[in-house]
């Protein structure tokens, strides 16, 4: 009885994203933007963002930045990364089959039977990851999918036929799976890691504009490239912007599904709110600001500890320019680096709200040091 009363008095969740926002998210997720080839996705993102910013710029490798109050000397970054994992054509056999190498952390075990798009100068070429039928796989120990034995079949029977389609070594390959909403509760798709982050920071800019909030600093909304191969886009753009503060958002593991050890991975669940991190790169006082903001605004949140690094663009910003106070707000995600990545709708709303409210609590020229 007491539990029921507690549930009834619990604050009802109010969605932040709109129908128009979801249309943008679906278009953005469905567009392929593999590491090193993020341009088309960045165009979609900037087109959505432009009504809410004062100006924008793009660097030589494709990181896109929207700016509010560009003349302000104190600079705050909110950041996500735009790229998705993919494959490269590595070798074409004489009988027209294609072997691949990773572009980022692509999972070889999910590849068999997947449909893909091979990106060529002549346009997209359809192909499938082939796999021997169960009837033919005999022996005491079944061979598992490995990088050395997964291959693409694009319907050709010779190397020459493959090449006539425009396919060559170095062509990039993406999965064709698309966005959906599951049980009116989860957003599902490939590349939610971390294109959903780009979506969330764009929504922050929208809220600032629609609520007519005036910030006492310059806000740089950054959608970085090449995170999946070592935080490279963030490294480059941090040197260009030279921010005073950086709040990064990325995904982290929902550890409630089978075969995940909570002792090593932590106890994190979709639907229970954004995740704040504790790590050497996370600046203590900026992190406290995030937590106090969540508590003040009744935003649910979870905690995660990282040993040496966060493994996100937070590390790149934190250790740039002589040290930039940086913090990480993560979104719990199921099935990372698959084509069915899942995030909870309420968590997405709450990450947006936490970033938005935190920005309203940062003062111009704020010093986050413990002492001076």
């Amino acid at each position: 009885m007491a539990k029921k009363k507690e549930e009834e008095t619990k604050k009802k969740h109010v969605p932040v994203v709109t129908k128009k926002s979801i249309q943008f998210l679906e278009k953005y997720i469905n567009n392929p933007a593999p590491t090193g080839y993020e341009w088309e996705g960045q165009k979609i993102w900037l087109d959505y963002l432009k009504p809410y910013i004062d100006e924008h710029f793009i660097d030589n490798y494709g990181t896109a930045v929207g700016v509010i109050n560009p003349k302000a000397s104190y600079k705050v970054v909110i950041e996500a990364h735009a790229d998705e994992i993919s494959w490269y054509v590595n070798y074409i056999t004489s009988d027209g089959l294609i072997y691949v190498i990773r572009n980022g952390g692509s999972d070889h075990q999910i590849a068999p039977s997947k449909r893909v798009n091979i990106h060529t100068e002549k346009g997209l070429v359809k192909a499938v990851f082939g796999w021997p039928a169960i009837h033919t796989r005999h022996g005491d120990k079944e061979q598992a999918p490995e990088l050395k034995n997964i291959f693409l079949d694009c319907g050709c029977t010779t190397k020459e036929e493959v090449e006539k389609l425009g396919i060559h070594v170095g062509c990039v390959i993406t999965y064709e799976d698309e966005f959906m909403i599951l049980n009116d509760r989860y957003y599902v798709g490939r590349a939610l890691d971390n294109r959903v982050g780009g979506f969330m920071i764009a929504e922050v800019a929208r809220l600032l504009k629609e609520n007519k909030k005036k910030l006492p600093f310059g806000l740089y909304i950054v959608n970085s490239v090449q995170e999946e191969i070592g935080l490279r886009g963030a490294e480059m753009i941090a040197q260009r912007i030279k921010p005073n503060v950086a709040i990064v958002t990325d995904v982290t593991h929902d550890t409630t599904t089978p075969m995940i050890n909570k002792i090593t991975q932590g106890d994190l669940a979709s639907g229970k709110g954004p995740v704040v991190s504790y790590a050497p790169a996370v600046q203590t006082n900026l992190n406290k600001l995030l937590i106090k903001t969540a508590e003040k605004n009744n935003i649910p949140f979870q905690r995660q500890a990282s040993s040496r690094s966060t493994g996100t663009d937070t590390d790149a910003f934190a250790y740039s320019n002589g040290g930039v106070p940086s913090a990480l707000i993560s979104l719990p995600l199921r099935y990372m680096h698959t084509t069915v990545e899942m995030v909870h709708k309420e968590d997405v709303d709450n990450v947006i709200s936490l970033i938005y409210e935190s920005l309203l609590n940062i003062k111009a020229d704020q010093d986050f040091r413990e002492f001076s």
Side-chain angles (χ1 to χ4, degrees), residues 52-100:
Y52 313 125
I53 57 176
D54 297 322
E55 62 181 48
H56 71 275
F57 63 88
I58 314 236
D59 77 1
N60 290 329
Y61 278 83
T63 290
V65 182
V67 189
I68 298 172
N69 299 340
K71 294 182 180 179
S73 58
Y74 194 78
K75 303 174 184 178
V76 176
V77 159
I78 56 174
E79 191 262 10
H81 73 83
D83 58 323
E84 68 177 288
I85 56 172
S86 57
W87 302 95
Y88 276 123
V89 172
N90 189 49
Y91 172 62
I92 305 170
T93 71
S94 59
D95 51 359
L97 297 176
I98 299 167
Y99 285 83
V100 300

Side-chain angles (χ1 to χ4, degrees), residues 231 245-248 277-287 290 304-320 323-329 368:
L231 323 182
V245 178
I247 298 174
V248 173
S277 282
Y278 295 81
V282 175
Q283 209 277 345
T284 304
N285 288 323
L286 178 57
N287 212 33
L290 300 182
Q304 180 176 33
S306 300
S307 178
R308 294 177 60 85
S309 67
T310 69
T312 72
D313 284 339
T314 311
D315 305 328
F317 278 94
Y319 300 129
S320 70
V324 175
S326 302
L328 173 62
I329 301 174
F368 286 94

Side-chain angles (χ1 to χ4, degrees), residues 74 76 215-217 245 247 286 289 357-364 366 368:
Y74 194 78
V76 176
L215 298 174
F217 48 76
V245 178
I247 298 174
L286 178 57
L289 183 146
E357 296 292 347
S358 295
L359 290 176
L360 299 182
N361 286 331
I362 296 176
K363 301 172 184 175
Q366 188 161 347
F368 286 94

Side-chain angles (χ1 to χ4, degrees), residues 11 16 26 57 64-65 85 90 93 119-120 176 212-213 221 236 246 280 300 308 310 330 332 353 360 368:
K11 183 181 177 183
V16 173
E26 181 171 5
F57 63 88
V65 182
I85 56 172
N90 189 49
T93 71
H119 299 255
T120 78
E176 63 173 29
K212 299 180 181 179
K213 298 295 183 181
I221 303 108
M236 291 184 278
R308 294 177 60 85
T310 69
S330 298
S353 296
L360 299 182
F368 286 94

Side-chain angles (χ1 to χ4, degrees), residues 124-143:
L124 295 179
V125 177
K126 298 290 183 180
V128 298
F129 271 108
W131 192 245
I134 188 170
H135 318 71
T136 67
R137 303 198 306 266
H138 299 299
D140 294 332
K141 189 175 181 182
E142 235 186 310
Q143 194 171 0

